[in-house]
Amino acid sequence: MPVTALHHYTIRCTPQELPQLLDFYTRVLRLQAGARPEIPAPGAWLYAEGQPIVHLYAHLSTPDAAVQPVTGHVDHISFRSHGLKEMREHLDALGVPFTEAPIPGWKIHQLFLHDPRGLKIEMTFWIDQEEGGAA
């Protein structure tokens, strides 16, 4: 099969929205800002384990009009995650609201939160790979 994984997704924004988005994805989700090719608009590429998975592209002159749902056709973006207990503590310390969604009958536990533009983010944890093996 030619498609094997999601490579990245891009969030468009204005240059004024860029700092808040960059702060969220680096401080809250702990992605790392990294190398980005010369592109004629401001932005950032945010990395996890050496892979640029979120691109911020500040090419809009005015913010997108609010739509319902906020995410348009995309319901949410999910990140494979590790360290459930520590992430709960981190989000609580930052005052970032989140909800939890364990999946009955599966070894998956999810946290849901929203970025500054309203995009729903899922963090997916495999419980059998977490320290202690429990939620």
Side-chain angles (χ1 to χ4, degrees):
M1 173 179 225
V3 175
T4 59
L6 177 66
H7 186 269
H8 74 273
Y9 69 95
T10 300
I11 299 172
R12 65 179 177 256
C13 63
T14 66
Q16 294 76 26
E17 293 171 310
L18 183 60
Q20 188 177 20
L21 287 165
L22 185 58
D23 177 66
F24 175 84
Y25 283 96
T26 57
R27 189 172 54 91
V28 176
L29 294 187
R30 298 182 181 159
L31 297 176
Q32 301 292 316
R36 178 178 182 255
E38 290 295 322
I39 297 175
W45 281 15
L46 307 175
Y47 289 70
E49 297 183 355
Q51 171 69 41
I53 60 173
V54 176
H55 295 182
L56 301 177
Y57 186 42
H59 70 97
L60 300 177
S61 57
T62 59
D64 286 332
V67 296
Q68 289 301 320
V70 174
T71 58
H73 293 293
V74 174
D75 182 74
H76 66 275
I77 303 294
S78 178
F79 292 105
R80 173 73 166 91
S81 304
H82 303 282
L84 175 60
K85 180 181 182 296
E86 192 276 332
M87 183 52 74
R88 284 184 185 125
E89 294 168 356
H90 176 68
L91 294 173
D92 283 338
L94 294 175
V96 175
F98 64 94
T99 58
E100 299 197 39
I103 303 199
W106 290 60
K107 295 178 180 181
I108 295 175
H109 193 94
Q110 302 163 319
L111 300 182
F112 288 96
L113 55 149
H114 291 84
D115 82 3
R117 296 200 67 210
L119 181 61
K120 186 178 4 175
I121 303 295
E122 172 187 321
M123 301 184 77
T124 303
F125 299 85
W126 270 252
I127 296 306
D128 59 341
Q129 297 174 17
E130 290 294 304
E131 186 175 321

